[in-house]
């Protein structure tokens, strides 16, 4: 094993030029850890929030960030029995707790690691780990979305929304989502039953029309802003709002009180169990990864710029990084 590896290092908080490609030492492997050759990683909004300095108290510099790994086990600790060298795995590294995935190799606690779905490649698997764990936590563990319930998913064409639509349909729910008009056919192809154009329609009024005034049982907030306040108006009695977005400013939730609503705020704790459940759905063909762009590791700054530009650049689904190759695939609008 080489003592060093290539990694993208965050040298300073700031813009897209804040990263440097460097040779860094490879971490040693503890007794309950595995060292994984990273084949692919992916980007999440959390990544650019860290880069900008939103979590500077939690991320000492210089830092290797990144929250998705798909790769192959190259070394295992003395007490690891769950995996063998050569196994294909995927997982999310510990958030705010060590080195991330923008690197050729990664050392992880074995309890975080799951077997990669056998019917997809590393690029697709890397697109699923943080998003998939988050969506499972939000819809299954927290909202406890049930068959025949109705859910409103904000931002259906995004990296989280694309998986949320598919999981909600696998559960048996009726799915209403928001998306710009150019993405309506796309989100319907994922399973959305109705689509609201958030650029021209008021989603509260649209939900009232689509549910004959009854409202939705669950709202999944992936966008923030005033969603917590306004989504309460779209809820049925005893409805649930699940948000994965920071609360940037106080919001008045008086409307939620009258609905006996429950609010859940999700900062996902990763574990193998969620990924194993996700793997089952992927291997049954009920959830398919949606990749909107692929770039090599050395172009990480460009990848951040693309993700932050998001839907206005025609991006659908996830931005993935090919760590072992030089794949370049960009949205048609880029």
């Amino acid at each position: 094993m080489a003592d060093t590896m290539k990694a993208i290092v965050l040298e300073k908080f700031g813009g897209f030029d804040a990263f440097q490609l460097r040779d860094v030492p490879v971490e040693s492997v503890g007794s309950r850890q595995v060292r994984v050759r990273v084949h692919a990683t992916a980007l999440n909004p959390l990544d650019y929030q860290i880069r900008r300095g939103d979590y500077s108290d939690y991320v000492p510099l210089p830092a290797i960030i990144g929250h998705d790994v798909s790769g192959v086990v190259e070394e295992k600790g003395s007490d690891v029995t769950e995996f063998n060298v050569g196994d294909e795995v995927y997982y999310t590294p510990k958030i705010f707790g060590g080195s991330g995935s923008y690197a050729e190799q990664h050392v992880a606690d074995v309890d975080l690691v799951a077997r990669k779905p056998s019917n997809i490649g590393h690029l697709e698997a890397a697109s699923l780990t943080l998003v998939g764990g988050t969506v499972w936590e939000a819809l299954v563990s927290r909202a406890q979305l049930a068959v025949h319930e109705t859910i409103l998913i904000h931002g259906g064409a995004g990296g989280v929304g694309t998986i949320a639509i598919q999981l909600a349909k696998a559960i048996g729910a009726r799915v209403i989502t928001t998306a710009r008009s150019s993405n309506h056919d796309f989100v319907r192809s994922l399973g959305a039953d109705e689509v609201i154009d958030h650029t021209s329609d008021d989603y509260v009024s649209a939900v009232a029309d689509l549910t004959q005034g009854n409202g939705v049982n669950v709202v999944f907030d992936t966008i923030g802003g005033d969603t917590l306040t306004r989504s309460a108006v779209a809820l049925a009695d005893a409805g649930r709002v699940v948000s994965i977005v920071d609360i940037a400013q106080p919001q008045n939730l008086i409307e939620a009180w009258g609905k006996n609503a429950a609010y859940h705020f999700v900062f996902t704790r990763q574990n193998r169990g969620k990924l194993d459940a996700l793997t089952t759905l992927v291997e049954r063909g009920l959830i398919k990864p949606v990749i909107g762009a692929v770039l090599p590791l050395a172009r990480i700054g460009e990848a951040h710029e693309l993700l932050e530009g998001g839907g206005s650049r025609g991006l659908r689904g996830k931005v993935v990084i090919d760590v072992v190759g030089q794949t370049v695939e960009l949205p048609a609008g880029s």
Side-chain angles (χ1 to χ4, degrees), residues 228-263:
L228 297 182
T229 302
R230 302 204 65 238
S231 290
V233 187
L235 281 178
D237 189 55
R240 293 89 78 196
V241 177
V242 186
S243 178
I244 60 170
V245 186
D246 285 349
I247 307 171
Q249 55 194 7
Q251 298 193 33
N252 186 340
L253 303 183
I254 190 67
E255 296 282 358
W257 182 49
K259 297 286 183 73
N260 279 302
Y263 276 71

Side-chain angles (χ1 to χ4, degrees), residues 27-36 69 73 75-83 89-100 105-115 269-273 275:
E27 293 180 34
S28 59
V29 177
S31 62
R32 287 288 292 161
Q33 293 183 316
V34 291
R35 178 173 57 82
V36 174
V69 169
V73 175
E75 182 183 355
K76 66 177 189 172
S78 57
D79 295 336
V80 172
T81 58
E82 297 92 331
F83 301 99
V89 296
Y90 75 145
Y91 60 94
T92 289
K94 192 179 297 180
I95 297 173
F96 302 141
S99 292
Q105 299 186 52
H106 186 265
V107 173
D109 295 343
V110 73
D111 291 338
L112 298 178
V113 178
R115 293 187 186 278
R269 307 296 181 192
Q270 296 302 317
N271 59 55
R272 184 184 306 131
L275 290 177

Side-chain angles (χ1 to χ4, degrees), residues 1-270:
M1 180 193 92
D3 295 330
T4 62
M5 64 178 178
K6 299 287 186 189
I8 297 291
V9 179
L10 182 65
E11 302 274 5
K12 60 185 179 182
F13 296 118
F16 308 123
D17 62 346
F19 297 108
Q20 295 290 327
L21 181 63
R22 285 181 19 190
D23 289 311
V24 302
V26 177
E27 293 180 34
S28 59
V29 177
S31 62
R32 287 288 292 161
Q33 293 183 316
V34 291
R35 178 173 57 82
V36 174
R37 172 71 61 178
V38 180
H39 283 238
T41 183
L43 270 61
N44 300 276
L46 177 60
D47 296 23
Y48 63 68
Q49 291 162 0
I50 291 173
R51 190 207 74 230
R52 294 185 313 211
D54 296 6
Y55 298 100
S56 57
D57 290 345
Y58 300 94
V59 183
L61 297 181
I64 300 171
I65 68 169
H67 304 94
D68 297 288
V69 169
S70 183
V72 176
V73 175
E74 288 203 336
E75 182 183 355
K76 66 177 189 172
S78 57
D79 295 336
V80 172
T81 58
E82 297 92 331
F83 301 99
N84 293 310
V85 171
D87 285 348
E88 293 189 325
V89 296
Y90 75 145
Y91 60 94
T92 289
K94 192 179 297 180
I95 297 173
F96 302 141
S99 292
S101 57
Y102 292 1
E104 290 180 327
Q105 299 186 52
H106 186 265
V107 173
D109 295 343
V110 73
D111 291 338
L112 298 178
V113 178
R115 293 187 186 278
K116 181 182 75 64
S118 59
N119 60 330
I120 60 174
H122 287 293
L123 294 175
E124 292 177 304
S127 77
L128 285 176
T129 64
L130 182 58
V131 161
T134 299
V135 171
W136 188 272
E137 172 92 2
L139 301 194
V140 178
S141 303
R142 302 294 189 86
Q144 297 181 17
L145 181 66
V147 177
H148 303 314
E149 286 195 313
T150 300
I151 183 171
L152 170 64
I153 297 170
H154 289 288
V160 175
T162 54
I163 302 304
I165 290 170
Q166 295 179 76
L167 179 57
K169 290 307 293 184
I171 289 169
R174 177 192 182 196
V175 175
I176 303 170
T177 192
T178 63
R180 62 184 69 232
S181 59
S182 59
N183 285 328
H184 281 204
D185 288 344
F186 168 63
V187 294
R188 286 185 189 280
S189 75
L190 298 175
D193 297 291
E194 283 94 17
V195 191
I196 300 165
D197 185 352
H198 63 274
T199 65
S200 61
D201 296 328
D202 176 70
Y203 69 82
V204 172
S205 300
V207 163
D209 290 342
L210 291 169
T211 62
Q212 291 76 52
N214 293 317
V216 297
N217 306 104
V218 175
V219 173
F220 185 32
D221 170 27
T222 70
I223 59 174
D226 65 354
T227 310
L228 297 182
T229 302
R230 302 204 65 238
S231 290
V233 187
L235 281 178
D237 189 55
R240 293 89 78 196
V241 177
V242 186
S243 178
I244 60 170
V245 186
D246 285 349
I247 307 171
Q249 55 194 7
Q251 298 193 33
N252 186 340
L253 303 183
I254 190 67
E255 296 282 358
W257 182 49
K259 297 286 183 73
N260 279 302
Y263 276 71
H264 300 269
F265 300 95
V266 174
F267 182 88
T268 306
R269 307 296 181 192
Q270 296 302 317

